[in-house]
Amino acid sequence: MRKKIVAGNWKMNTLPAEGVELAKNIVGQRTTVSGEVNFLVCPPFTHLAMVAEALKGSDIALGAQNCAAEAKGAYTGEVAASMIAALGCKYVILGHSERRQYYGETSETLNKKMEQVYANNLTPIYCVGENLDEREAGKHFDVVKTQIEEVVYNLTAEQFRNLVIAYEPVWAIGTGKTATAEQAQEIHAYIRKVLAVKFGAAADECAILYGGSCKPSNAAEIFAKADVDGGLIGGAALKADDFLAIGKGFEK
Ligand code: PGA
């Protein structure tokens, strides 16, 4: 059975005290959703230590939104995977489209980040997805295939067993435009096939999350699809009740 995961990507939102408040509210309302659903939150780096404290004793996991491609040293402004791990993080989002688009992250950088993430026993949430032009030109399958081949194919079988993928069509992120459940299923099934070419039956165990304007009102329909194992949530992760209500999408 694949893990059911709802991950909150807070992006560059909330001040530290607000983040702590949000985390506490999520913990406070956690029992409203089945224990089978795995929740995790990815606050900004500056909040990690405080949010870790707020999550203590709960089953809500902590993740970071990025990490450095190097282990340590003279890299001003960067945050190493070891530092994130030391604060209690279990997950790191890698290759989010905003990082690829605004900060020039390439497969080459992402391969180095992957190495750091695994060296520190963290689980990467590797993001893939096409932009609107690529979707309209019918290139979305090729785009995600390349994003997987250039990075995920470099993992060992053991590393692959500890990987989460997030499919996030760029045209659906923060736009209010969600992929239909059918569009999500179609490409998630395709991603699983691409993973199986390299990793065989282990591809059946890999959690593939959908991201892009996922909210309480559409989560159930999307999560009902066979190859959708949860969501990577941006905007709706900033309200505790919406975030948890998305987890209830598995119960419908
Ligand atoms: P959104 O963001 O839910 O606000 O569309 C999702 C994401 O970028 O991870």
Side-chain angles (χ1 to χ4, degrees), residues 52 56 99 101 118 147 149 163 168:
K56 241 186 207 156
R99 303 277 336 156
Q101 202 179 332
Y118 283 110
Q147 289 169 335
E149 284 176 346
L163 171 80
E168 299 201 308

Side-chain angles (χ1 to χ4, degrees), residues 5 12 16 19-20 39 47-48 54 58 76 88 92 134 139 145 151 154 163 165 191 193 219-220 224 233 236 252:
I5 300 174
M12 198 170 73
V20 167
F39 286 100
H47 305 20
L48 289 175
S58 80
T76 303
V92 184
E134 291 161 342
K139 290 187 189 148
K145 184 167 180 259
V151 178
N154 296 327
L163 171 80
I165 299 241
I191 289 169
K193 238 196 264 169
I233 318 300
K252 287 176 188 145

Side-chain angles (χ1 to χ4, degrees), residues 9 11 93 96-98 127 168 172-176 211-214 232-237:
N9 174 9
K11 307 193 180 183
I93 298 172
H96 190 281
S97 63
E98 286 151 17
C127 303
E168 299 201 308
I173 295 176
T175 58
S213 300
C214 190
L232 179 55
I233 318 300

